[in-house]
Amino acid sequence: MKFNDLTRRKFIAAVTTTTVATALSGSVPSFAKPPAKNAGKLALQGGTPVRVKDWPKWPAVLADEKMMESVNKTTKSGIWSRIQSPTGTVATFEKEYAKLMGTEFCIGTGSGTQALATCVEAMDIGPGDEVITSPYTDFGTVSAVLTSRALPVLVDLDRASYQLDAALIEKKINKNTKAIIPVHMMGMPCEMDKIMAIAKKHNLKVIEDACQANFGRYQGKQLGTIGDIGCFSFQASKQIACGEGGAIISNNAALMDECYTVQNHGTNRKGSNVTIGPKYRMNEFEGAVLLGQIGSAKDRFQKRNDNANYLISKLKGFAGLVPQKQYTGTESAGYYHFAMSYHKEHFNNVERSKFLKAVAAEGVSLSPYIARGLHIEPWIDHIKGLREYKSMYGAARLKQYSDEMACPNCDLVCNEEMVILPGSSCLLGSKEDMDDVINAIMKVYENRDKL
């Protein structure tokens, strides 16, 4: 049996006694399992859960003998700071990571936030300057701009991709704008061709916040290499993890020298104290943990992409939960999380929280992500009261700044739509594990009138 789009939607709405996937395709899908006892009854209401197995514990699954040996060797060596050895774990990691990313240079830092802050300072962005970025990101992105006393200007989202909307950027550019920080949310590429064209037109720097995007590629290029410079994070939840840690990559030797000096408390490679800078250095234990896993990082990256593509194929045509939009030219993603938009109108208007509770009872823990966009957080009022911001930007600009802060698409994503499956751990599972995810979602959909 074949349906056009309109007939298919009517059919799905009318039929709740058969599986959603069957309704979509007219046959039992490949992921369907033989019904168990109480299979049709929600676990939330006493039925048998779809899944009872635990998911891998991240990042504990990385702690193998190779990593332990690397950390133990560093401990015994007595070389615990990168400045003790030009061939230590940090210097070695920098070379290996640059090679993996296809860049000439890499500098390790203590975190992804530190990497971003280093780049802002190294580009001479400071008081009176403005930097355009997204409201839907970790506060570290904005904090990196504030550290140099520049002004973060937030651009609303493309609601389907959760990335800053490139079409809105030029409205926020003025004579004080110095840079754009696109954030590759979930490790999925931003619309970088348009962003780079805007940057070129207005002579702006581009710092890629690729903290969630290790190895992702867009239009033949590694994320982090498209702009002037790219930043990555190795915080405990990230796909390459060492507790805290970060990296900067670029092919621009002069800019990377500036970055090295800034993160080395203003001391250059020759040992001269030449500028203002914090100490953002990566330590040798972080380098050891990273070296212990970097050899297999690409394999895990490919596994995540394979499983993400599998989930996307199974959700194709299902309007209730739509995977994150991919821009033309997206080849792969870091998949820090596998993100989807929940559309409650296809679940009898059941609120997201009830949907998530029902799926969790089936043994699959989906969740929201960022609770509130950065455009409604109290840091905005705080900086407006600081004497340096009052002096450098003036009352009129700060009032305009507040008045233009609304980001309605970001609000919808945060409050109603965003749903994630943790990518670092869950996307390393088997195809059977991915089937559990789909079956849990579809079971809840079939029982949506009972929620």
Side-chain angles (χ1 to χ4, degrees):
M1 183 181 298
K2 295 183 179 179
F3 303 109
N4 60 34
D5 287 342
L6 179 61
T7 307
R8 183 187 294 115
R9 287 195 297 270
K10 290 181 178 179
F11 183 69
I12 292 172
V15 181
T16 58
T17 56
T18 185
T19 67
V20 172
T22 301
L24 289 171
S25 66
S27 60
V28 178
S30 61
F31 61 78
K33 297 179 179 180
K37 185 179 180 180
N38 294 328
K41 188 176 183 180
L42 288 173
L44 195 65
Q45 299 166 349
T48 302
V50 167
R51 179 185 177 87
V52 295
K53 294 188 297 181
D54 289 333
W55 294 96
K57 301 298 182 185
W58 188 266
V61 295
L62 295 171
D64 59 12
E65 288 300 319
K66 185 175 181 181
M67 182 183 291
M68 298 299 187
E69 181 183 348
S70 179
V71 173
N72 191 40
K73 182 179 177 181
T74 296
T75 303
K76 291 180 177 180
S77 74
I79 298 172
W80 293 3
S81 171
R82 73 165 298 157
I83 64 170
Q84 291 178 267
S85 172
T87 59
T89 62
V90 175
T92 303
F93 170 75
E94 288 170 341
K95 290 178 182 176
E96 292 301 315
Y97 194 68
K99 190 186 304 179
L100 279 172
M101 301 303 240
T103 57
E104 289 188 56
F105 309 107
C106 170
I107 296 170
T109 61
S111 69
T113 301
Q114 291 178 9
L116 289 161
T118 295
C119 294
V120 172
E121 189 68 26
M123 289 180 167
D124 195 29
I125 297 169
D129 295 334
E130 301 188 10
V131 178
I132 290 173
T133 191
S134 171
Y136 193 72
T137 179
D138 181 83
F139 187 55
T141 308
V142 165
S143 178
V145 178
L146 296 174
T147 297
S148 291
R149 298 302 190 265
L151 190 68
V153 177
L154 306 181
V155 169
D156 202 8
L157 308 184
D158 174 338
R159 187 173 157 192
S161 71
Y162 327 127
Q163 318 282 17
L164 82 168
D165 190 338
L168 302 177
I169 290 175
E170 286 194 283
K171 296 178 183 178
K172 294 294 185 83
I173 294 174
N174 60 41
K175 61 183 178 60
N176 296 319
T177 307
K178 294 297 187 293
I180 304 171
I181 303 182
V183 186
H184 302 299
M185 287 304 297
M186 318 301 167
M188 191 69 71
C190 291
E191 199 169 18
M192 288 303 294
D193 56 342
K194 292 185 179 179
I195 291 171
M196 293 306 296
I198 292 168
K200 183 178 180 180
K201 176 181 176 182
H202 296 276
N203 193 29
L204 304 177
K205 299 293 186 183
V206 175
I207 303 169
E208 288 182 72
D209 183 340
C211 286
Q212 300 182 354
N214 284 285
F215 306 133
R217 295 184 67 82
Y218 174 83
Q219 296 185 354
K221 296 179 180 179
Q222 159 67 48
L223 297 182
T225 69
I226 302 169
D228 294 277
I229 204 161
C231 298
F232 296 83
S233 170
F234 309 125
Q235 187 263 352
S237 65
K238 297 302 194 298
Q239 308 93 317
I240 301 174
C242 64
E244 296 290 352
I248 304 166
I249 63 171
S250 178
N251 291 317
N252 186 324
L255 179 56
M256 290 297 275
D257 278 343
E258 290 294 327
C259 287
Y260 179 89
T261 301
V262 169
Q263 63 87 44
N264 193 37
H265 57 45
T267 304
N268 65 18
R269 295 183 189 273
K270 296 179 180 179
S272 296
N273 306 314
V274 296
T275 190
I276 299 169
K279 187 189 285 186
Y280 284 161
R281 297 192 301 245
M282 177 182 283
N283 68 59
E284 290 290 292
F285 289 103
E286 290 172 327
V289 172
L290 293 169
L291 282 176
Q293 66 190 273
I294 197 170
S296 54
K298 270 285 185 73
D299 291 336
R300 287 189 292 275
F301 162 78
Q302 189 58 55
K303 180 74 168 178
R304 291 187 184 98
N305 274 265
D306 290 345
N307 278 331
N309 289 334
Y310 182 77
L311 291 174
I312 290 169
S313 72
K314 294 301 180 182
L315 289 168
K316 186 176 182 180
F318 179 52
L321 209 56
V322 179
Q324 181 178 11
K325 172 183 172 180
Q326 298 186 19
Y327 292 110
T328 301
T330 296
E331 298 172 14
S332 58
Y335 282 113
Y336 177 56
H337 296 309
F338 182 79
M340 299 162 280
S341 292
Y342 174 71
H343 296 295
K344 66 181 181 180
E345 63 271 23
H346 298 283
F347 281 85
N348 288 2
N349 286 317
V350 169
E351 294 300 322
R352 181 180 61 177
S353 59
K354 288 186 177 180
F355 164 76
L356 293 174
K357 188 175 181 180
V359 175
E362 301 298 336
V364 176
S365 291
L366 305 180
S367 70
Y369 185 38
I370 294 172
R372 296 175 302 279
L374 295 179
H375 62 294
I376 56 174
E377 290 283 17
W379 65 270
I380 298 167
D381 289 332
H382 174 69
I383 67 167
K384 284 166 58 182
L386 295 177
R387 62 181 181 274
E388 56 267 47
Y389 279 87
K390 290 179 181 178
S391 173
M392 295 305 302
Y393 298 94
R397 175 62 184 118
L398 291 177
K399 183 181 185 304
Q400 179 191 31
Y401 181 66
S402 291
D403 291 345
E404 296 177 352
M405 193 59 76
C407 295
N409 283 343
C410 183
D411 293 334
L412 282 169
V413 168
C414 291
N415 299 334
E416 300 181 25
E417 295 180 351
M418 167 66 72
V419 170
I420 61 166
L421 176 73
S424 293
S425 55
C426 295
L427 286 182
L428 293 180
S430 65
K431 286 292 186 289
E432 290 73 21
D433 292 326
M434 300 304 105
D435 288 341
D436 285 343
V437 174
I438 296 298
N439 285 334
I441 291 167
M442 295 306 177
K443 182 179 177 184
V444 172
Y445 177 83
E446 291 167 7
N447 288 276
R448 62 197 181 279
D449 59 334
K450 300 179 179 68
L451 291 175

